[in-house]
Amino acid sequence: MSVLTTAPGTPADEEPPDAGERHRLTAVTGLAALSLDAMASVAYGPEAIVLVLAAAGAHGLGFTLPVTLAIAALLAVLVASYRQVIAAFPDGGGSYAVARTHLGRRTSLVAAGSLVLDYVLNVAVAVTAGVAALTSAFPALYDDRLWLCLAVLALITAVNLRGIVESARAFIVPTVVFVGSILVLIAVGLFRSEPVSTATAAGHASVLTDDATAVGALLLLKACASGCAALTGVEAIANAVPSFRVPRARRAQHAEVALGAVLGVMLIGLSVLISRFHLQPVEGVTVLAQLADASLGHNWAFYVIQFATMILLALSANTSFGGLPVLLKLLARDNHLPHVFALKADRQVHRHGVLALAVVSTALIVFSGGDTNTLVPLFAIGVFVGFTIAQVGMVRHWRAERGPRWRGKALLNGFGGLLTGVAAVVVTATKFEEGAWLIVIALPLLVVAFEAVHRAYARIGERLGLGRVPEHPHRDRSVVIVPVSSLSRLTSEALTAAASLGDEVRAVTVCHPDPEDRSALHALERSWAEWDPGVPLVRLSSERRALGRPIAAYVRDVMASEPAARVTVLIPETEPERLWQRLLQNQRGAVVAHAVRKETDAVICRLRFRLF
């Protein structure tokens, strides 16, 4: 089953010009909309490395630059790989699309599940981290952090519901300010031989271990794994290729390369400054804040960087809003999620995916109480699983293609897969007791849910005979049953419509044993006889105060006595002039419809009679 179809012979990168191209991304707006997660990671990636190496004292901090260079090399491998993924899978989906083609359906679902978890956690972590930066600057707001998180999330959701291009335009300025500020920090810092200021770290306790001098392989491996948090978001562009303007693959590739170049320069530049200034991690102050202080001084420039970092951390949630809805669309297309996720609203918005992401992220934020530390141990595990699956899948891709230099490309992807696989194992092991066990449980459950939805759609498809030529349509005798309770213009309209639909029309009314109900029934039967519409009025007796069940029972009896007839229940209802006037209705039509739908296979037709 599929809800998406494409005209035969129309490649994915050559859609007709009326496909809403103006609501899609260019390379620049794509970089703004889909790279905020990766860009913001420079605020915590180098710090994650330093905090791990601090366990080995000052000698350990000397390995900050080599570890960062190793991560930058892995970044280059990933960018090159995802650039090829974009070209090979222009319909988007990233690691899910690669695995579905080359590693099998179940592996693709593991990749999809890991990406879904990572995207959702990214939203919660980004929003809470941004608000945490705000409450650090303004401590009086700390007690209101949960409401601030929800307000930021609501703002980002509202912007994305207007379209991905609108969100990209809104976030271009913060992205440019942040990247420009970091590059200026690096450039100025390279011309300084010593820190110009250490006011930020003054009075804060160092977390450096003084009595350690040896740096083991396990510590370096853990530092690399922690620093790889800076690589989250690299896959987002490959997941959202359909959101770009034509030629989609080329624009997405340009955005991916630009992301890798900018991110790599920032990571390496910051690590060089950490080594140059011999910075030590201290409690309560970020490494990035120390670098801004050391390079630019404790002045307005320092606060610009802090404020830009806070804004970009909060807005980095937009990466998930750009990538996850497209991934959900592909899962829905392959019958692993409800098909509603494949529907597009105006402005090329996958509205249901955006809203679903917002709802789940809200639940996570409420669960954590707006506390970033509660969520961080769960973060970045899924993305490494996706990285590894994508790399292994691309190795299979090159072996199948056997194009020019395929061995070198396969070796590159294989090496990248080995590195990301090791990182996934190390990150999961080191964060397991801190909460990573939840991801270990949630990922298989998510895959099971995908499989359950797929089986349900398979059963539906079998019952519908999808893919098979059905028998020719033919005309059956039809009986239309119309529930009535009084004579009115609505009754006349309903019987007229019923006579147009079926060969035989029957009006039914339910009678209860109360004297008042019996009196109303006798009055209705007298009025019916005087009106004489040519349609029999069938009395249905019910000892209980039920309406839907007696009608459903009568419909079952008709279907049993006339198995060759098509039975339709036409339910007349009024459509009031004002929305609030719906509260004045008795909802009898909904009760009847529910009972007939639940207990019979009859066709239900609800006739809306406008009162205006």
Side-chain angles (χ1 to χ4, degrees), residues 1 64 113 139 157 218 248 273 418 501 513-514 524 533:
M1 295 173 65
T64 300
T157 303
L218 185 60
R248 309 201 195 293
L273 294 186
L418 177 63
L501 291 174
D514 299 350
L524 175 61

mmCIF file of all heavy atoms in Angstrom, residues 1 64 113 139 157 218 248 273 418 501 513-514 524 533:
data_model
loop_
_atom_site.group_PDB
_atom_site.id
_atom_site.type_symbol
_atom_site.label_atom_id
_atom_site.label_comp_id
_atom_site.label_asym_id
_atom_site.label_seq_id
_atom_site.Cartn_x
_atom_site.Cartn_y
_atom_site.Cartn_z
ATOM 1 N N MET A 1 0.840 -1.191 0.000
ATOM 2 C CA MET A 1 0.000 0.000 0.000
ATOM 3 C C MET A 1 0.878 1.245 0.000
ATOM 4 O O MET A 1 1.883 1.302 0.668
ATOM 5 C CB MET A 1 -0.885 0.035 1.231
ATOM 6 C CG MET A 1 -1.889 -1.079 1.276
ATOM 7 S SD MET A 1 -2.742 -1.066 2.846
ATOM 8 C CE MET A 1 -3.590 0.511 2.704
ATOM 9 N N THR A 64 43.979 17.058 23.544
ATOM 10 C CA THR A 64 42.732 17.637 23.052
ATOM 11 C C THR A 64 42.760 17.828 21.534
ATOM 12 O O THR A 64 41.811 17.445 20.822
ATOM 13 C CB THR A 64 42.457 18.997 23.732
ATOM 14 O OG1 THR A 64 42.363 18.810 25.133
ATOM 15 C CG2 THR A 64 41.172 19.598 23.201
ATOM 16 N N GLY A 113 14.458 3.735 13.537
ATOM 17 C CA GLY A 113 14.147 3.913 14.941
ATOM 18 C C GLY A 113 15.206 4.716 15.671
ATOM 19 O O GLY A 113 14.893 5.574 16.509
ATOM 20 N N PRO A 139 19.413 34.207 36.755
ATOM 21 C CA PRO A 139 19.017 33.164 37.723
ATOM 22 C C PRO A 139 17.587 33.286 38.218
ATOM 23 O O PRO A 139 16.993 32.289 38.648
ATOM 24 C CB PRO A 139 20.027 33.359 38.864
ATOM 25 C CG PRO A 139 21.196 34.039 38.236
ATOM 26 C CD PRO A 139 20.627 34.926 37.175
ATOM 27 N N THR A 157 7.745 25.214 16.816
ATOM 28 C CA THR A 157 6.700 24.441 16.130
ATOM 29 C C THR A 157 5.857 25.333 15.247
ATOM 30 O O THR A 157 5.561 24.986 14.087
ATOM 31 C CB THR A 157 5.805 23.742 17.165
ATOM 32 O OG1 THR A 157 6.604 22.902 18.006
ATOM 33 C CG2 THR A 157 4.749 22.887 16.474
ATOM 34 N N LEU A 218 42.016 3.542 26.477
ATOM 35 C CA LEU A 218 40.601 3.565 26.805
ATOM 36 C C LEU A 218 40.113 4.988 27.060
ATOM 37 O O LEU A 218 39.015 5.370 26.648
ATOM 38 C CB LEU A 218 40.338 2.692 28.045
ATOM 39 C CG LEU A 218 38.863 2.528 28.448
ATOM 40 C CD1 LEU A 218 38.064 1.897 27.319
ATOM 41 C CD2 LEU A 218 38.742 1.693 29.720
ATOM 42 N N ARG A 248 17.605 18.812 -6.636
ATOM 43 C CA ARG A 248 17.599 18.568 -5.203
ATOM 44 C C ARG A 248 18.917 17.971 -4.702
ATOM 45 O O ARG A 248 19.484 18.435 -3.711
ATOM 46 C CB ARG A 248 16.434 17.647 -4.831
ATOM 47 C CG ARG A 248 15.116 18.112 -5.387
ATOM 48 C CD ARG A 248 13.962 17.525 -4.617
ATOM 49 N NE ARG A 248 12.713 17.693 -5.355
ATOM 50 C CZ ARG A 248 12.136 18.860 -5.596
ATOM 51 N NH1 ARG A 248 12.710 19.967 -5.167
ATOM 52 N NH2 ARG A 248 11.015 18.941 -6.276
ATOM 53 N N LEU A 273 42.895 26.691 20.139
ATOM 54 C CA LEU A 273 42.916 27.729 21.168
ATOM 55 C C LEU A 273 42.943 27.124 22.567
ATOM 56 O O LEU A 273 43.573 27.684 23.476
ATOM 57 C CB LEU A 273 41.701 28.637 21.010
ATOM 58 C CG LEU A 273 41.642 29.487 19.739
ATOM 59 C CD1 LEU A 273 40.471 30.442 19.794
ATOM 60 C CD2 LEU A 273 42.950 30.256 19.534
ATOM 61 N N LEU A 418 33.475 1.398 10.941
ATOM 62 C CA LEU A 418 34.185 0.839 12.080
ATOM 63 C C LEU A 418 34.312 1.870 13.202
ATOM 64 O O LEU A 418 34.049 1.572 14.382
ATOM 65 C CB LEU A 418 35.577 0.370 11.642
ATOM 66 C CG LEU A 418 36.492 -0.174 12.747
ATOM 67 C CD1 LEU A 418 35.893 -1.417 13.374
ATOM 68 C CD2 LEU A 418 37.887 -0.465 12.188
ATOM 69 N N LEU A 501 -31.132 7.194 -3.572
ATOM 70 C CA LEU A 501 -30.011 6.269 -3.397
ATOM 71 C C LEU A 501 -30.402 4.804 -3.564
ATOM 72 O O LEU A 501 -29.588 3.999 -4.045
ATOM 73 C CB LEU A 501 -29.405 6.449 -1.995
ATOM 74 C CG LEU A 501 -28.650 7.749 -1.705
ATOM 75 C CD1 LEU A 501 -28.265 7.803 -0.229
ATOM 76 C CD2 LEU A 501 -27.398 7.849 -2.570
ATOM 77 N N PRO A 513 -40.713 2.180 26.617
ATOM 78 C CA PRO A 513 -41.960 1.844 27.328
ATOM 79 C C PRO A 513 -42.549 2.994 28.150
ATOM 80 O O PRO A 513 -43.666 2.881 28.636
ATOM 81 C CB PRO A 513 -41.539 0.680 28.232
ATOM 82 C CG PRO A 513 -40.075 0.855 28.430
ATOM 83 C CD PRO A 513 -39.553 1.440 27.163
ATOM 84 N N ASP A 514 -41.845 4.109 28.305
ATOM 85 C CA ASP A 514 -42.370 5.215 29.104
ATOM 86 C C ASP A 514 -43.650 5.772 28.485
ATOM 87 O O ASP A 514 -43.760 5.878 27.256
ATOM 88 C CB ASP A 514 -41.343 6.339 29.217
ATOM 89 C CG ASP A 514 -40.072 5.867 29.905
ATOM 90 O OD1 ASP A 514 -40.083 4.754 30.451
ATOM 91 O OD2 ASP A 514 -39.070 6.604 29.866
ATOM 92 N N LEU A 524 -46.607 10.584 16.283
ATOM 93 C CA LEU A 524 -45.802 10.475 15.068
ATOM 94 C C LEU A 524 -46.476 9.572 14.046
ATOM 95 O O LEU A 524 -46.513 9.888 12.848
ATOM 96 C CB LEU A 524 -44.402 9.940 15.416
ATOM 97 C CG LEU A 524 -43.472 9.643 14.229
ATOM 98 C CD1 LEU A 524 -43.201 10.892 13.400
ATOM 99 C CD2 LEU A 524 -42.146 9.029 14.715
ATOM 100 N N PRO A 533 -45.928 9.688 3.020
ATOM 101 C CA PRO A 533 -44.797 9.925 2.115
ATOM 102 C C PRO A 533 -44.501 8.759 1.172
ATOM 103 O O PRO A 533 -43.576 8.847 0.353
ATOM 104 C CB PRO A 533 -43.639 10.130 3.088
ATOM 105 C CG PRO A 533 -43.994 9.274 4.264
ATOM 106 C CD PRO A 533 -45.480 9.351 4.390
#
